[in-house]
Amino acid sequence: SGLVHVKNPHLDSMEEDVLYHLDLGTKTHNLPEMFGDVKFVCVGGSPNRMRAFAQFMHKELGLAGDGEDLADICAGTDRYAMYRAGPVLSISHGMGIPSISIMLHELIKLLHHAKCRDVTIIRIGTSGGLGVKAGSVVITDMAVDSSFQPRFEQVVLDDVVVRSTELDRDLVEELLTCSKEIPDLPTLIGHTMCTYDFYEGQGRLDGALCSFSSEKKLEYLKRAYDAGVRNIEMESTAFAALCRLCGLRGESPAAASA
């Protein structure tokens, strides 16, 4: 049917569903009226970046006005920022798996309550490149963990739950085709490694702690490259797992730094 799924039977018995971190709710807002025709959701770490993206989409879609006065739909909270440009929703998710996970839970419930259909969600942002030219865009075909496995592990109560992180293959190819219209933007498909930390977790030598040698770092990154990893960030496994489980076409292209 194209509807966004929620996999939580407890929601049916709730009188009201409050999306705490988005400052929205099923009783306080008419979610179908506000969001029912949304077809694309783009998410990224920075609130300012997502506002700029919404303004860009406003211009590209030829909407009325200059887009400078776009309102933050989540202005009642300082956790996330959300902007609307026609059928495109632009939302910030902060940094790391906990932050994007909270946002995605509430976003998915929002799309469900709004009765949205055939929604595509794309995470845009930056990442650390691995063996690719700086500035290249890596289109993720599979999000992998620090052991290069396509899985998202989460502790639920006292159980370790493992979920698949494969992304929509057709969407991967569609984005690669679109990239060919921008000749000065090098684009490739590859695995994205998701870590729980920016410093030691990504093999950096400049954190407050470092428990490995530069040689050990290079050996690890070579193994990652040989396993198909082309960029590293901190959100993709949670993003892929949640999108897959809830019936959202999801993809996570990211610009790679050196």
Side-chain angles (χ1 to χ4, degrees):
S1 65
L3 289 170
V4 178
H5 309 300
V6 290
K7 301 295 184 72
N8 182 0
H10 302 289
L11 292 179
D12 293 335
S13 61
M14 292 171 55
E15 186 176 338
E16 178 182 11
D17 189 5
V18 178
L19 311 178
Y20 299 101
H21 304 88
L22 301 182
D23 194 39
L24 296 168
T26 54
K27 275 195 170 182
T28 54
H29 298 79
N30 187 334
L31 299 180
E33 183 178 286
M34 293 174 67
F35 302 104
D37 58 346
V38 165
K39 293 297 182 183
F40 298 93
V41 181
C42 292
V43 305
S46 162
N48 289 337
R49 185 184 299 152
M50 299 321 292
R51 182 175 188 273
F53 177 77
Q55 291 172 332
F56 170 77
M57 289 307 306
H58 188 278
K59 181 179 179 181
E60 288 293 303
L61 293 170
L63 302 177
D66 58 12
E68 291 299 319
D69 58 349
L70 285 179
D72 179 3
I73 299 169
C74 300
T77 175
D78 60 359
R79 299 298 185 185
Y80 304 104
M82 179 190 296
Y83 301 93
R84 175 88 189 265
V88 180
L89 207 56
S90 179
I91 314 173
S92 67
H93 61 60
M95 287 196 296
I97 285 174
S99 185
I100 194 173
S101 176
I102 294 167
M103 186 280 291
L104 285 172
H105 272 276
E106 298 187 14
L107 168 65
I108 290 166
K109 292 197 297 176
L110 182 157
L111 297 173
H112 170 74
H113 292 311
K115 297 180 172 56
C116 296
R117 291 178 179 269
D118 302 317
V119 177
T120 296
I121 179 168
I122 299 175
R123 195 193 84 80
I124 55 178
T126 56
S127 62
L130 189 57
V132 300
K133 181 181 178 182
S136 299
V137 173
V138 179
I139 301 174
T140 307
D141 61 351
M142 188 178 296
V144 299
D145 63 14
S146 296
S147 298
F148 324 135
Q149 298 300 310
R151 63 193 179 196
F152 173 51
E153 291 189 355
Q154 183 177 10
V155 178
V156 178
L157 304 184
D158 59 348
D159 293 324
V160 177
V161 177
V162 181
R163 289 165 173 157
S164 172
T165 57
E166 286 194 47
L167 290 158
D168 189 288
R169 299 282 178 164
D170 291 338
L171 184 55
V172 170
E173 295 298 333
E174 286 177 33
L175 290 175
L176 183 64
T177 299
C178 290
S179 74
K180 295 175 181 177
E181 299 178 11
I182 313 174
D184 296 330
L185 188 67
T187 306
L188 65 148
I189 294 172
H191 296 354
T192 295
M193 184 167 72
C194 181
T195 69
Y196 288 91
D197 168 58
F198 183 81
Y199 286 99
E200 284 191 302
Q202 296 190 14
R204 286 185 168 84
L205 304 174
D206 58 346
L209 299 173
C210 187
S211 56
F212 47 83
S213 65
S214 57
E215 291 79 13
K216 185 70 173 177
K217 165 192 172 173
L218 292 174
E219 185 271 335
Y220 174 73
L221 293 180
K222 182 180 185 305
R223 285 195 288 118
Y225 183 87
D226 291 344
V229 173
R230 294 296 177 267
N231 64 329
I232 307 172
E233 45 85 277
M234 298 185 292
E235 294 90 17
S236 59
T237 53
F239 173 85
L242 278 163
C243 288
R244 182 180 177 87
L245 284 168
C246 296
L248 286 163
R249 296 182 79 213
E251 178 47 50
S252 182
S257 61

